[in-house]
């Protein structure tokens, strides 16, 4: 794309990477601002880590309850595309126009078809540890991470074809049926077997099972006995039947020559496709080599015949004694049959070519086996030699033994390890008494007196170099000839096909080995319509190879008859290899379960089957050894269970490109891998768990259903220890993870709530970092509830061997070593960047900081190092949810400014048909009842409910749907509305919370008012809660449907009101927050009224002279001020006061007074950025002694150059003592001021830079340098700043001391007091709320918290909003915070405000309260009840009297209904929930179905 | 307690300590992992955190009064466990060097410990002095062809060549011992006897006296360390050294003689035993220090190597002289013995008085004092030390 063009055209779309709360917030803010959003999430569902959390601090709200509505909102947002299982591979372009390439992993479930009913998961036999439950609980291979997952679709964990399946020529899903056998699900196992193999009872006995050779288990001990298990299933169901063909019958007849495995498979496959195949068999028995080449003690005749009968039972004709070439010619076949498959096998013996081979007594192995199999036992001699080393040799030898031979010896020219025969067969034969003569090659036969064979001359061999077959070649040893005496010899050195039997000159080409020539892939011969396969093409091979040939032939014939390409896409038919390696470390040794066999000493006399087979118990034990290499076992049960046909195993990795204008990165964090701290025993001691695991244990939806138990023995713990800073604040990770102190506190409180006061919770910590809003109070509450805080880092945990309890040794008072035994130890693991952070950085071309996080700068805190790419959440720095949400909104604000010209270009507003007027019409109700697959239909009798609905008055149509929410059903509903002229719709299905908007939308699309809709939740309330009482569930469903219908009769069309929005914003406060918010909005194109009470803008930034990272705040201040002054959209009022603010969202009126002159401005939103003030301390001689100052005064002093020189007047280096928590964390101001520790360290480091000789002491209570600030704490210590901890009740004392000052402090670590002679004392004074907060709060009808800071709508997820719409908060007015945090919150406020301002009209909710003037007598009960302050009392003159009525502010009303409930006169009601409607519901409820 | 008794933070302490070696626990945030990892920490003795904290806070008097650094046997578990990699073990080594210097009333010790130039200079000085004495003696012997008191001409051989050395050797051993003993009083004053410390009856000192000997030779604390592979070598070295010192001081005649003793004579088996112990112990230590694979042998200083090398050379030359004599190489034996004396003298004078060897006296002494304190605490539980309060 030419760069000129891309510069001018920005794309109105953005990519959000990561679907946690950060990504979600960014997506919602962008979409609200008119930007199309793609959300790329690498997992199968969005939600991030917060979805896994139990409760949130400091409010103890349920995390899932808090975020679920947001999940739903995103899930159904028309402008947000969720791309799950996606990762970004690369990005090109520049800000405004990027091209992003995305790779999507296959889900194996069609997202457009899956309805999330869950039928698949209950069928799935594969159980895995659930990642969502931190591997403490199970999940299935087809799964949804958690019930509220968005998108609400399932996914399959599928690594690819397992080695057994890949190794099998016909790709039987061995893992599939083995897994089912392991669970005792034998009938399903049979179904899986029959899917690919119609002759399993034969394969289970004689297949050479390449699946076992490929088995991963052989890396551990023995391969699985897959054929044994297959045979077990066929033995278990001796009368199983093959599936009847379901395909439409075809007229074409197919001829198959030969009834061996190739012919049988071909016939079966063709029959399943609807063809009628006829098999021509030359012999009097069917089965080919199966029948005549394999002795019955390995494959009993009844087993073979049963398989043949099953073939016949589905319509396969087998003509015996019909040799093609004699009884019927190939030409005749070609004329009468549409296609022919030649599978005549290889039945002609190969000859040794040595003298005496024609002597009586010398026979071929196939010949003797054929004779025995057709005619019954025939003696081969008393002393028999068998020549050869293959399976046929063993079969022949063992048959000879059973035919009465006294001794049988196998003569083979190489050694045992080179024998091509199956080693197990060799062992079996040896057990029966067969002898072996290795390294002996036949030279000639010797004749006996009776003219029969009497001996075999053999020559000794030795092994030479490897030959073409890869085996050592036998080399004759000269002069070693000798004679073996015998009276019978069986030669089994291979066979060739009897091609000539088919007739001469057929046009079929042959090879030099005498086999037929055929295309290896399609099996086509030179003759059109004639295919050939099996031994007659390959030469003698194993049964499963012949079966593959049969299958291939069937496919080719079918394609040929349908004139399709014979070659396309058939590569996977052949054997293929899996791409992955299975990790077998840690798998315990467990040898193969041996198959019972007949006693070898006696079985050699009979033809009874040698192997007895597994018992069910043995089979289950053996099957359980499977290592589940492919994860998904490929049983296809889910596919069968899924009525929506959403399962799609053929999905492959996909790539796509997206065109976006900007990117927001919110890929989240990785919890620290606690295994790395070996001394803490994680992974070794079962009861040492991580905090995230404990979070799941606490959760009601967790692995133990919210019962707090320890993993090892599920015992309820009595003592829990929490170990802080695991993977944080050490030399590897020199940063603080910011959240662990508080989440440990929360987990301790919640654990005590679950298990009662008796539970002992001890938190071992170093510095308790309760720096956030309300955190300090939360910490105190925990202490009051008995949570013990022990200041000791625990380096080592030991386990009590017997009880698996854990011993924690720690340092108590006075450095005493103490030990305590705990039931559970929770490791508070820190936050790490994502494992592949380097790849992410490379992919996006962004740089990382020294901690491998995506560092940002103080004044651009949402900006990555690459323009157009923004960041949010812990990916930038460890942080908590509100900071993540703020940063996400801030990123969105930046994107909205960047793409302001392209806003709305990729978002098409939805157009609905004109609404039908149904006023005055008789209700015509359509009822749609949902099966939800089997989710509802499996319990509730749906047809019954439908029939019942039809009987109810006004119901003109009722029917059921498999999935009412699916896309095609929406079209169906629209059609029915049309056909039956419906004017009310009732859906009986799941919850309105997720689905009501969907159905309302369907009504609107059909031209009906969307409020003419009612829903009955028969899933949650019937099929779920009454799962085991189907009859009652059905009855209740009818009740709910009747109630819904009753209400629907009274439904009236409702309309949402539109209010025009004043497209301007008021920003109160001109500090860094106010300036940033104002600029952010102005850059998005909105007018901003910026009001500052002081003469100059800049706020506290004016007194900030340097920063820890070396940035120059004064330069930034100058830049900000310049931008504010130069921006035409910003209207600045300095030295101004607010006289009044009136109105609500969309329409505020504010009077601003500047120097006595009042201006009135109109605006749609207001942002509170009023800041806070520094506390002016009254103690520590502050104000009395000039040498005692605050940090801010010190900063000014340092900035002015009036530093602390090392060579002071009196010759010694000077000493500065800093005292922390002055005016914070005290009775009057119980909260932490968050920034003072960092500020003190900043100034201490500055002092050390200016004069390294100056001594700096910091007297603190907890050092709260969260996030990367920790590294500056480290730096300060390294530079010699001395940190001394004191307790609140033992505060330091400052007194004058002759020339200087002296500070006395009790060092808590040593337990000793000490005196520090000081030249200066610096107080870290806290941040206190502004005094005029109250007035502003009243103007805007927003609350303050108990400390006097503004109180946001929700502490975690709505940190810049108020409960009052259209008003936002940022900066210090909200709570103490750093500059970058203030900037983030200001940008976030701007993003939230922009979402309001971008719309032309404000669309109000339709279900809100309405006053009935005639009935209202102005008693005003409702005014106080209204939680949203939406109702006010108005008085007006009416017919000469004062009339009092209430008035609802429709923009503020949320339709909660409190007013309607309090009104004694029916003077106020909620639209859509009128008393009549509710009465009708109640009456219907009381009727009897 | 009055403000006057509150210890005053002295920011110069850290600089003083750092003159004796590496002391960089500045990454320390006082988490206590080091103290927890240590197997030798008991209720009354806690380190390294406390000791290091005294130093960091500049609390000089409490640091000088503490015996805890001597309980530390240098295993290095603390350095392994330290989350800040502050290497408390090395800080403890430096603290012991610092303390050893503080115990002295001469300034030689602190100079020798602070500066390798002083250290080497002093060693060379004594070596040269000894060499001069020996050369002078030989010159005198050749020039004057001395006779014994009976008037017989003296022949070649240890007995004839070095009779005066007997007294000289005694001086070389006893002088440093006297110096060391004189410091014991100073240590007692710093740690046990100050005005602010509780009085402990002399009887307690007598009762616990066995601890001193026991700790010197058996070193049970070192065996308590997790890393006790070095215990055998180190305590054998201690036993061997004490044994050799004792027999050389009290039975030098056995050695400075040309007599051939039978194998059962103590001169033979005691001497062999002592030499074997010393050589085994030293090889063990040198092997560890040279490869420095284990935590305990990391951060080896120059003086840590010179001392064992000197001691080993002393043992080897002594043994060589012995072997030469028993194989009848008279003159070779003679020179080997001279060499032995030239090496042994500076080692004894400098190392024992001012160098690394002094820990052999200080460490058992500190452990002995701690045992005394503990017993005193047991006898008079009421007299518990009340922590300072503001």
């Amino acid at each position: 794309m030419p760069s000129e063009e891309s510069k001018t055209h920005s794309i109105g779309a953005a990519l959000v990477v990561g679907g946690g709360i950060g990504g979600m917030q960014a997506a919602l803010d962008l979409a609200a601002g008119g930007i199309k959003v793609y959300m790329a999430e690498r997992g199968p569902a969005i939600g991030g880590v917060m979805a896994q959390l139990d409760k949130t601090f400091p409010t103890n709200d349920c995390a899932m309850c808090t975020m679920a509505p947001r999940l739903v909102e995103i899930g159904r947002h028309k402008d947000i595309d969720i791309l799950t299982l996606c990762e970004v591979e690369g990005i090109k372009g520049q800000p405004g126009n990027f091209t992003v390439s995305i790779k999507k992993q296959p889900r194996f479930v069609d997202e457009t078809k899956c309805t999330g009913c869950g039928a698949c998961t209950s069928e799935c036999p594969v159980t895995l540890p659930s990642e969502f439950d931190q591997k403490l609980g199970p999940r299935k291979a087809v799964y949804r991470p958690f019930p509220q997952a968005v998108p609400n679709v399932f996914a399959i964990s599928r690594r690819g074809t397992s080695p057994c399946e890949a190794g099998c020529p016909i790709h039987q899903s061995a893992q599939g049926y083995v897994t089912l056998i392991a669970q005792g699900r034998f009938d399903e196992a049979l179904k899986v077997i029959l899917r690919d193999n119609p002759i399993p009872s034969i394969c289970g006995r004689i297949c050479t099972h390449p699946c076992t050779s490929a088995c991963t288990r052989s890396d551990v001990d023995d391969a699985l006995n897959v054929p044994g298990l297959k045979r077990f299933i066929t033995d278990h169901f001796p009368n199983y039947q093959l599936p009847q063909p379901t395909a439409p019958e075809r007229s074409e007849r197919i001829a198959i020559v030969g009834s061996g495995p190739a012919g049988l498979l071909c016939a079966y496959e063709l029959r399943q496709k609807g063809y009628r195949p006829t098999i021509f068999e030359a012999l009097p028995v069917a089965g080919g080599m199966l029948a005549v080449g394999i002795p019955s003690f390995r494959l009993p005749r009844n087993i073979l015949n049963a398989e043949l009968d099953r073939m016949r039972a589905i319509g396969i004709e087998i003509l015996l004694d019909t040799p093609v070439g004699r009884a019927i010619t190939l030409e005749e076949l070609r004329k009468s049959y549409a296609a022919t498959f030649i599978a005549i096998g290889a039945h002609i013996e190969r000859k040794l070519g040595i003298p005496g081979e024609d002597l009586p007594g010398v026979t071929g192995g196939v010949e003797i086996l054929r004779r025995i199999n057709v005619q019954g036992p025939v003696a081969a001699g008393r002393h028999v030699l068998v020549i050869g080393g293959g399976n046929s040799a063993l079969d022949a030898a063992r048959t000879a033994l059973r035919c009465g031979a006294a001794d049988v010896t196998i003569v083979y020219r190489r050694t045992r390890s080179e024998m091509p025969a199956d080693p197990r067969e060799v062992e079996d034969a040896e057990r029966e008494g067969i002898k072996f003569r290795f390294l002996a090659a036949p030279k000639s036969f010797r004749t006996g007196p009776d003219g029969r064979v009497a001996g075999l001359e053999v020559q000794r061999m030795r092994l030479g170099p490897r030959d073409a077959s890869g085996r050592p070649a036998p080399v004759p040893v000269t002069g070693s000839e000798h004679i073996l005496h015998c009276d019978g010899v069986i030669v089994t050195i291979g066979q060739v096909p009897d091609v000539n039997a088919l007739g001469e000159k057929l046009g079929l080409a042959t090879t030099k080995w005498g086999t037929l020539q055929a295309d290896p892939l399609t099996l086509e011969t030179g003759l059109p319509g004639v295919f050939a396969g099996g031994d007659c093409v390959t030469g003698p091979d194993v049964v499963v190879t012949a079966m593959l040939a049969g299958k291939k032939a069937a496919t080719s014939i079918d394609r040929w008859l349908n004139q399709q390409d014979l070659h396309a896409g058939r590569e996977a038919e052949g054997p293929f290899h899996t791409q992955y390696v299975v990790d077998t470390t840690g798998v315990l040794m467990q040898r193969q379960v041996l198959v019972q066999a007949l006693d070898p000493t006696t079985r050699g006399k009979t033809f009874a089957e040698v192997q007895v087979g597994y018992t069910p118990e043995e089979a289950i034990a053996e099957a359980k050894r499977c290592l589940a290499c492919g994860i998904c076992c490929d049983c296809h049960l889910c596919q069968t269970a899924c009525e929506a046909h959403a399962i799609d195993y053929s999905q492959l990795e996909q790539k796509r490109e997206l065109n976006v204008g900007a990117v927001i990165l919110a890929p989240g964090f990785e919890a620290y891998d606690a295994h790395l701290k070996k001394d803490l025993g994680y992974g070794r001691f079962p009861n040492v768990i991580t905090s995230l695991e404990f979070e799941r244990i606490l959760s009601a939806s967790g692995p133990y259903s919210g019962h707090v138990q320890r993993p090892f023995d599920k015992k309820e713990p009595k003592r829990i220890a929490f170990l802080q800073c695991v993977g944080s604040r050490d030399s590897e990770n020199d940063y603080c993870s910011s959240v662990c102190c508080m989440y440990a506190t929360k987990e301790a409180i919640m654990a005590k709530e679950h298990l009662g006061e008796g539970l002992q919770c001890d938190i071992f910590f170093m510095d308790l970092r309760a720096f956030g809003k309300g955190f300090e109070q939360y910490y105190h509450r925990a202490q009051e509830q008995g949570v013990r805080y022990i200041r000791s880092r625990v380096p080592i945990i030991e386990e009590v061997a017997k009880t698996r309890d854990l011993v924690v040794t720690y340092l108590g008072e006075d450095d005493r070593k103490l030990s305590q035994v705990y039931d559970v130890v929770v490791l508070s693991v820190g936050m790490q960047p994502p494992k592949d952070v380097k790849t992410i950085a490379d992919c996006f071309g962004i740089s990382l900081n020294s901690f491998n996080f995506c560092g940002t700068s103080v004044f651009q805190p949402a900006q990555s190092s690459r323009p157009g790419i923004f960041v949010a959440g812990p990916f930038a720095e460890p942080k908590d949810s509100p900071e993540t949400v703020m940063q996400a909104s801030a990123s969105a604000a930046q994107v909205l400014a960047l793409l302001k010209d392209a806003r709305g270009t990729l978002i098409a507003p939805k157009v609905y048909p004109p609404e039908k007027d149904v006023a005055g019409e008789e209700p015509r109700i359509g009822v749609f009842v949902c099966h939800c697959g089997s989710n509802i239909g499996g319990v509730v009798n749906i047809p019954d409910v439908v029939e019942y609905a039809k009987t109810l008055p006004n119901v003109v149509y009722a029917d059921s749907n498999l999935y009412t929410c699916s896309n095609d059903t929406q079209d169906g509903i629209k059609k029915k509305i049309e056909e039956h002229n419906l004017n009310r719709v009732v859906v009986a299905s799941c919850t309105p919370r997720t689905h009501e908007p969907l159905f309302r939308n369907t009504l609107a699309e059909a031209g009906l008012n969307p409020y003419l809709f009612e829903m009955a939740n028969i899933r949650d309330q019937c099929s779920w809660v009454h799962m085991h009482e189907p009859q009652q569930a059905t009855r209740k469903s009818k009740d709910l449907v009747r109630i819904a219908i009753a209400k629907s009769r009274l439904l009236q069309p409702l309309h949402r009101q539109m209010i025009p929005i004043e497209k301007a914003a008021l920003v109160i406060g001109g500090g860094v927050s106010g300036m940033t918010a104002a600029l952010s909005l102005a850059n998005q194109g909105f007018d901003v009224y910026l009001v500052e009470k002081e003469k100059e803008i800049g706020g506290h930034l004016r007194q900030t002279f340097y920063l820890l990272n070396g940035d120059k705040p004064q330069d930034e201040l100058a830049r900000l001020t310049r931008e504010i002054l130069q921006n035409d959209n910003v209207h600045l009022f300095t030295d101004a006061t607010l006289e009044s603010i009136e109105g609500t969202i969309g329409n505020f009126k504010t009077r601003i007074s500047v120097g006595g002159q009042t201006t009135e401005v109109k605006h749609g939103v207001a942002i509170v950025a009023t800041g806070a003030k520094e506390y002016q301390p009254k103690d520590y001689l502050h104000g009395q002694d000039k040498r005692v100052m605050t940090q801010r005064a010190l900063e000014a002093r340092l900035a002015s150059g009036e530093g602390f020189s090392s060579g002071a007047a009196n010759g010694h280096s000077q000493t500065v003592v800093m005292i922390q928590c002055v005016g914070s964390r005290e009775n009057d101001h119980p909260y932490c001021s968050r920034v003072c520790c960092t500020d003190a360290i900043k100034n201490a480091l500055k002092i050390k830079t200016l004069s390294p000789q100056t001594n700096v002491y910091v007297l603190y209570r907890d050092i709260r340098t969260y996030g990367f600030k920790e590294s500056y704490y480290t730096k300060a210590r390294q530079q010699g700043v001395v940190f001394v901890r004191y307790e609140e009740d033992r505060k330091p004392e400052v007194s004058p001391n002759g020339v200087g000052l002296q500070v006395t402090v009790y060092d808590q670590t040593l337990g000793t007091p000490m005196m520090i002679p000081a030249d200066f004392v610096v107080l870290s004074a806290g941040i206190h709320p502004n005094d005029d907060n109250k007035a502003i709060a009243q103007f805007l009808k927003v609350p303050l918290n108990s400390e006097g800071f503004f109180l946001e709508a929700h502490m975690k997820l709505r940190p810049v909003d108020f409960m009052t719409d259209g008003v936002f908060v940022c900066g210090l007015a909200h709570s103490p915070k750093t500059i970058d945090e203030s900037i983030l919150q200001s940008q976030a406020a701007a993003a939230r405000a922009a979402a309001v301002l971008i719309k032309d009209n404000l669309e109000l909710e339709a279900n809100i309260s309405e006053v009935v003037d005639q009935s209202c007598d102005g008693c005003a009960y409702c005014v106080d009840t209204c939680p949203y302050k939406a109702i006010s009392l108005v008085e007006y003159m009416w017919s000469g009297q004062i009339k009092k009525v209430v008035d609802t502010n429709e923009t503020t009303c949320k339709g909660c209904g409190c007013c309607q409930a309090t009104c004694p006169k029916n003077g106020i009601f909620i639209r859509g929930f009128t008393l009549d409607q509710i009465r009708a519901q109640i009456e219907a409820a009381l009727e009897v179905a | 307690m009055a403000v006057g008794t509150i210890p005053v933070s002295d920011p110069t302490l850290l600089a003083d300590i750092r003159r004796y070696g590496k002391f960089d626990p500045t990454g320390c945030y006082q988490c206590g992992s080091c103290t927890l990892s240590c197997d030798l920490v008991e209720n009354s003795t806690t380190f390294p955190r406390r000791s290091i904290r005294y130093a960091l806070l500049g609390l000089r008097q409490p640091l000088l009064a503490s015996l805890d650094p001597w309980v530390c046997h240098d295993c290095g578990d603390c350095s392994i466990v330290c989350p800040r990699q502050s290497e408390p073990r090395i800080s403890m080594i430096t603290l012991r060097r610092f303390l050893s210097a503080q115990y002295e009333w001469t300034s030689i010790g602190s100079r020798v410990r602070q500066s390798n130039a002083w250290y080497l200079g002093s060693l060379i000085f004594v070596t040269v002095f000894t060499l001069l004495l020996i050369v002078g003696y030989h010159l005198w012997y050749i020039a004057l062809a001395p006779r014994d008191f009976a008037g017989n001409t003296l022949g070649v051989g240890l007995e004839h060549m070095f009779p005066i050395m007997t007294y000289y050797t005694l001086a070389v051993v006893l002088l440093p011992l006297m110096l060391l003993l004189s410091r014991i009083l100073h240590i007692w004053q710093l740690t046990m006897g100050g005005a602010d410390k509780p009085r402990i009856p002399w009887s307690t000192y007598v009762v616990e006296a066995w601890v001193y000997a026991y700790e010197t030779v058996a070193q049970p604390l070192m065996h308590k360390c997790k890393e006790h592979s070095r215990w055998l070598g180190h305590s054998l070295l201690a036993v061997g050294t004490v044994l050799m010192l004792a027999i050389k001081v009290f039975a030098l005649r056995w050695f400075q003689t040309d007599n051939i003793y039978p194998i059962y004579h103590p001169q033979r088996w005691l001497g062999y035993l002592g030499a074997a112990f010393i050589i085994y112990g030293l090889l063990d230590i040198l092997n560890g220090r040279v490869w420095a694979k284990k935590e305990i042998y990391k951060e080896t200083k120059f003086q840590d190597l010179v001392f064992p090398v000197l001691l080993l050379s002393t043992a080897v030359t002594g043994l060589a002289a012995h072997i030469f004599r028993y194989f009848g190489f008279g003159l070779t034996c003679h020179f080997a013995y001279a060499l032995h004396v030239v090496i042994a003298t500076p080692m004894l004078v400098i190392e024992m008085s001012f160098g690394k060897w002094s820990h052999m006296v200080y460490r058992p002494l500190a452990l002995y004092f701690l045992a005394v304190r503990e017993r005193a605490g047991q006898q008079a539980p009421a007299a518990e030390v009340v922590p300072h309060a503001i």
Side-chain angles (χ1 to χ4, degrees), chain B residues 19-34:
Chain B
R19 279 196 271 275
Y20 293 90
K22 200 171 155 192
F23 188 89
D24 267 331
T26 44
C28 175
Y29 44 33
Q30 310 145 47
C31 70
S33 296
C34 47

Side-chain angles (χ1 to χ4, degrees), chain B residues 4-216:
Chain B
T5 61
I6 294 179
V8 175
S9 173
D10 174 4
T12 63
L13 174 63
L14 211 54
D16 288 351
I17 292 169
R18 284 185 176 145
R19 279 196 271 275
Y20 293 90
K22 200 171 155 192
F23 188 89
D24 267 331
T26 44
C28 175
Y29 44 33
Q30 310 145 47
C31 70
S33 296
C34 47
T35 307
L36 279 171
S37 75
C38 181
D39 285 341
L40 304 182
V41 167
E42 281 171 1
N43 285 338
S44 51
T45 48
T46 85
F47 61 93
R49 176 167 82 168
R50 177 175 288 268
S51 309
I52 290 172
R53 192 103 189 105
Y54 282 140
L56 287 177
L57 290 182
L59 300 180
R60 192 182 290 270
Q61 286 315 311
L63 178 63
L64 289 182
S66 76
L67 293 162
D68 301 339
W70 293 109
V71 184
C72 169
H73 274 63
D74 206 24
C75 73
D77 282 353
C78 50
S79 286
I80 293 168
V81 92
C82 176
R84 299 275 7 152
Q85 297 183 355
S86 288
E87 303 196 301
R89 169 183 167 265
I90 289 164
S91 297
M92 292 302 278
I93 295 174
T94 306
L95 278 184
R96 283 193 294 274
R97 285 205 188 107
F98 169 76
L99 286 177
S100 303
Q102 304 307 304
Y103 296 155
E104 248 193 275
W105 42 267
T106 71
S107 64
I108 304 169
S110 62
R111 287 178 201 277
V112 163
R113 283 188 180 89
Q114 283 179 27
S115 143
N116 282 337
W118 262 84
Y119 175 65
L120 280 181
S122 56
L123 281 177
I124 292 168
F125 173 77
V126 180
T127 310
V128 170
F129 181 74
T130 314
L131 207 61
L132 283 178
L133 278 180
I134 290 175
V135 171
Y137 178 76
H138 278 75
L139 290 175
W140 170 74
Y141 177 85
I142 292 163
L144 300 178
R147 293 157 195 278
D148 66 5
F149 298 109
N152 300 319
T153 311
L154 294 172
V156 174
L158 299 183
E159 225 165 87
H160 307 290
M161 286 287 288
F162 296 98
I164 297 167
M165 293 293 287
T166 310
Y167 314 103
Y168 166 73
T169 309
L170 275 176
V172 158
V173 176
L174 288 181
L175 183 77
L177 274 180
M178 291 309 290
L179 258 175
L180 285 174
L181 283 172
S182 76
R183 289 179 201 141
I184 291 176
L185 190 68
H186 190 195
I187 298 172
W188 180 85
Q189 262 182 335
L190 281 173
T191 61
M192 307 289 284
D196 53 337
K197 299 188 182 63
R199 291 266 145 242
I200 296 173
W202 284 109
S203 58
T204 316
Y205 284 92
V206 176
V207 173
E208 290 292 332
W210 64 276
V211 171
Y212 193 101
Y214 182 52
E215 291 289 351
T216 305

Side-chain angles (χ1 to χ4, degrees), chain B residues 39-40 71-75 77 214-215 217-235 363 367:
Chain B
D39 285 341
L40 304 182
V71 184
C72 169
H73 274 63
D74 206 24
C75 73
D77 282 353
Y214 182 52
E215 291 289 351
V217 293
Q219 302 177 9
L221 272 182
M222 185 177 275
H223 195 249
K224 249 180 90 178
C225 280
K226 270 189 214 81
E227 172 59 63
H228 56 237
S229 63
R230 74 208 156 105
W231 167 78
L232 184 67
H234 197 266
S235 52
R363 192 191 291 275
L367 297 173

